[in-house]
Amino acid sequence: MKNVWMGCALVALAGVVSACGSSSDTSDGTGVFGEEAGNVHLALDGYLDGNLAVIAIQNVFDRDESYLIDCKKKDHKLNGSTFCDELVVLPPGVYEVRVQSPDPDCESEKDHYKALVEPKKTTEIKVKLVCGEDNGALDTIVKEDHRPTIKDIKFWFEYTYEPANKFICKDDTNVVIAAVLSDEDTRCEDLEVEWQSRNPYLSIGHFMPPYKVEGKCIATATVDAYYSYVGDYWLTIHVRDDGAYDQHTSKLSIPIHIIDCDDYPAPY
């Protein structure tokens, strides 16, 4: 059987196809012949010094006829590009060629190549080794957002609108607590307000959702003096944005004192 020669040229970062050694009788070996068979998977354990690529060659019709070759990087460049060149003598046949670089940022342009090796001829194939990665982009959007703010707390006697305060006489007229709210990016009616007391002996009811009064956003709750017990309490006001893209919370705790006005002077 006559000797047959195969050469390959690899290109690194420049990404340009380069040619390697030639003979007086050279044919293009990039055509596809026969059915795909005998795929070779290359597993590398690390970067080998001076190794530009690893070449796997396998006969399409004979699995036992396979070769794994280190393609050493040349000390010089070809047309300004790093390359390597390996010429292998093979029996005639149809071969599948796979090239993998030890550098994880480099890969061959095609997954595999097919080449026909004929008697008395050298088939030369050119493989482009493409190195580097495509860059992505990061777009950062900074959006100003506002949380609801509790601007003020006011007290008045229910139905009379006379001023009151946090000292509330037991069995006396109920006292309304009004929270004055503000939110620069949420409408008053879209705010949610919740009043909470951990002590069940402070009776809170008659909740009014936020509404506008003379340009101010007001939310109210009523302390039911008759059903509350004498004592000192904390009442917490939670205010939440109600928008799908604007969900923030503010809260404020205020003291409430239910007193027996038979023993103490009235606070008003």
Side-chain angles (χ1 to χ4, degrees):
M1 182 178 292
K2 301 294 186 179
N3 288 340
V4 179
W5 297 84
M6 174 179 287
C8 78
L10 302 178
V11 179
L13 293 174
V16 179
V17 176
S18 65
C20 58
S22 62
S23 69
S24 60
D25 190 357
T26 301
S27 60
D28 184 2
T30 59
V32 178
F33 301 89
E35 297 296 328
E36 291 189 20
N39 292 337
V40 177
H41 175 70
L42 300 180
L44 303 178
D45 293 328
Y47 194 92
L48 301 178
D49 291 338
N51 216 36
L52 187 64
V54 174
I55 304 171
I57 302 173
Q58 185 169 45
N59 192 313
V60 171
F61 302 105
D62 187 353
R63 279 181 167 274
D64 294 331
E65 200 172 300
S66 62
Y67 309 87
L68 193 63
I69 306 159
D70 291 337
C71 195
K72 300 295 184 182
K73 182 170 61 177
K74 301 294 185 182
D75 292 332
H76 54 282
K77 292 187 176 183
L78 184 65
N79 298 330
S81 298
T82 303
F83 77 104
C84 69
D85 175 81
E86 293 294 333
L87 186 146
V88 183
V89 177
L90 297 169
V94 179
Y95 290 88
E96 183 178 76
V97 182
R98 291 179 180 268
V99 177
Q100 182 169 337
S101 171
D103 186 343
D105 288 336
C106 297
E107 60 183 13
S108 60
E109 191 173 32
K110 296 181 181 180
D111 179 62
H112 66 278
Y113 300 80
K114 289 281 179 61
L116 172 65
V117 174
E118 300 178 86
K120 303 179 182 181
K121 294 182 180 180
T122 294
T123 300
E124 182 182 76
I125 65 173
K126 301 173 183 179
V127 176
K128 180 186 290 186
L129 194 64
V130 181
C131 299
E133 295 181 333
D134 289 331
N135 287 332
L138 176 64
D139 181 19
T140 303
I141 300 175
V142 180
K143 177 180 177 294
E144 186 179 68
D145 208 350
H146 296 271
R147 69 174 67 252
T149 302
I150 301 171
K151 304 286 288 186
D152 197 6
I153 298 293
K154 296 183 178 295
F155 299 84
W156 69 76
F157 290 108
E158 191 175 25
Y159 305 122
T160 66
Y161 296 97
E162 294 293 328
N165 59 36
K166 62 184 178 180
F167 292 94
I168 302 171
C169 291
K170 171 67 176 167
D171 298 337
D172 205 341
T173 305
N174 294 341
V175 170
V176 175
I177 304 173
V180 182
L181 311 176
S182 174
D183 193 319
E184 293 188 29
D185 53 21
T186 303
R187 299 184 305 171
C188 178
E189 56 268 30
D190 289 333
L191 295 175
E192 293 182 347
V193 178
E194 184 178 4
W195 306 78
Q196 291 181 340
S197 174
R198 294 185 177 181
N199 195 319
Y201 296 117
L202 179 66
S203 180
I204 302 292
H206 297 93
F207 305 109
M208 287 291 292
Y211 57 96
K212 281 288 190 71
V213 177
E214 296 180 352
K216 292 183 178 181
C217 184
I218 306 293
T220 63
T222 301
V223 176
D224 192 328
Y226 183 82
Y227 289 103
S228 297
Y229 288 67
V230 172
D232 301 320
Y233 304 93
W234 285 97
L235 180 63
T236 302
I237 308 163
H238 295 264
V239 184
R240 299 181 184 87
D241 288 340
D242 191 28
Y245 304 102
D246 187 16
Q247 298 174 342
H248 302 288
T249 301
S250 294
K251 66 179 181 179
L252 178 66
S253 295
I254 59 173
I256 299 293
H257 305 282
I258 305 296
I259 61 175
D260 188 343
C261 291
D262 291 338
D263 300 328
Y264 299 94
Y268 47 86

